[in-house]
Amino acid sequence: MQGDTPFLILLGGAVVPTPRLIAQIAGHRVIAADGGIRHATPLGVRPELWVGDFDSSDDALARDWAKIPRQSHPQDKDMTDGELAIEAALARGADAFVIAGALGGARSDHAVHNLLHGISLHAGGLPVMMTSGTEEAWPLMTGEQTVMLPAGTLFSVLAFSDLAALTLRGVDWPLTDRDVTMGQSLTLSNRVAAGNDAGVGVTLRSGTAVLLARPGAEGDDAGA
């Protein structure tokens, strides 16, 4: 997943610098949102811009990244630091995103918002992947899509609306033109089929969902 001008956005959630993530962000321009800049060194990247109200950035970070241009905003604002970072990337021509530090963490409201924001960007035609390094979220919209995941990867499709005619190919428990009600557990805990190096094929006639995956993770609780 990479456009001509892909951006990596660094948010404040947890990030594990796995080899897969390092490969996924190769060639990406980088913007950090507030405390998310702490992930820059472990990921081996240098942001071109540091955005936020800086309430999550301590003096040590300020010293370490003193030469990075800043875009400062007041704490009393109507956008998150992550949204501001993405807005800045779009102004620089971003046409694809990896959003690191978007999942998990102490603030469930922020994590859910990040998923919804990623869905919104994807609906606007921008490829988006949200990640913690150990977990990835890929928005799914209508039409056909391939999500590249290693064989054996556990994943779930989380419906954010009723889904019509969902098809999943290349998995242990395939679906063909299945309607899925929002909140139904049918699409939880599937797995990429052994020997499949072509990715998970997804077709959706209508609806909005996220494919949430743990690349390389295997377990006994898989099964749609």
Side-chain angles (χ1 to χ4, degrees):
M1 181 201 75
Q2 186 162 317
D4 293 329
T5 311
F7 267 78
L8 167 65
I9 304 298
L10 300 177
L11 302 187
V15 174
V16 178
T18 63
R20 175 177 169 87
L21 177 54
I22 298 298
Q24 287 170 325
I25 63 175
H28 285 50
R29 295 168 64 180
V30 185
I31 293 179
D34 203 340
I37 202 167
R38 74 182 188 276
H39 303 309
T41 296
L43 290 173
V45 299
R46 184 175 180 82
E48 63 186 63
L49 183 67
W50 191 7
V51 174
D53 56 24
F54 302 103
D55 64 346
S56 301
S57 303
D58 58 24
D59 291 341
L61 284 175
R63 289 193 301 271
D64 291 344
W65 299 101
K67 295 183 179 180
I68 300 297
R70 290 196 188 193
Q71 186 183 97
S72 297
H73 297 268
Q75 291 188 17
D76 293 333
K77 57 186 185 302
D78 56 6
M79 296 175 69
T80 66
D81 293 333
E83 286 179 296
L84 292 167
I86 288 170
E87 185 177 74
L90 290 170
R92 288 162 168 75
D95 59 6
F97 287 99
V98 170
I99 306 175
L103 306 175
R107 294 289 302 269
S108 296
D109 54 343
H110 283 197
V112 173
H113 166 76
N114 291 335
L115 288 174
L116 294 172
H117 193 199
I119 289 171
S120 177
L121 291 168
H122 191 66
L126 294 168
V128 177
M129 188 269 285
M130 295 158 281
T131 182
S132 66
T134 58
E135 197 168 41
E136 298 174 0
W138 301 79
L140 304 175
M141 307 300 291
T142 57
E144 296 187 5
Q145 184 173 341
T146 300
V147 179
M148 297 305 300
L149 295 168
T153 296
L154 291 175
F155 73 91
S156 295
V157 174
L158 305 180
F160 282 78
S161 70
D162 291 346
L163 308 179
L166 173 66
T167 295
L168 297 175
R169 300 177 299 276
V171 301
D172 282 355
W173 294 275
L175 296 177
T176 302
D177 292 337
R178 288 293 297 271
D179 293 340
V180 180
T181 303
M182 185 174 66
Q184 187 178 358
S185 63
L186 175 68
T187 53
L188 291 180
S189 296
N190 210 325
R191 186 167 51 214
V192 182
N196 174 16
D197 59 1
V200 177
V202 183
T203 305
L204 185 61
R205 187 171 68 210
S206 67
T208 301
V210 167
L211 190 153
L212 192 63
R214 294 182 60 82
E218 302 184 37
D220 296 331
D221 58 347

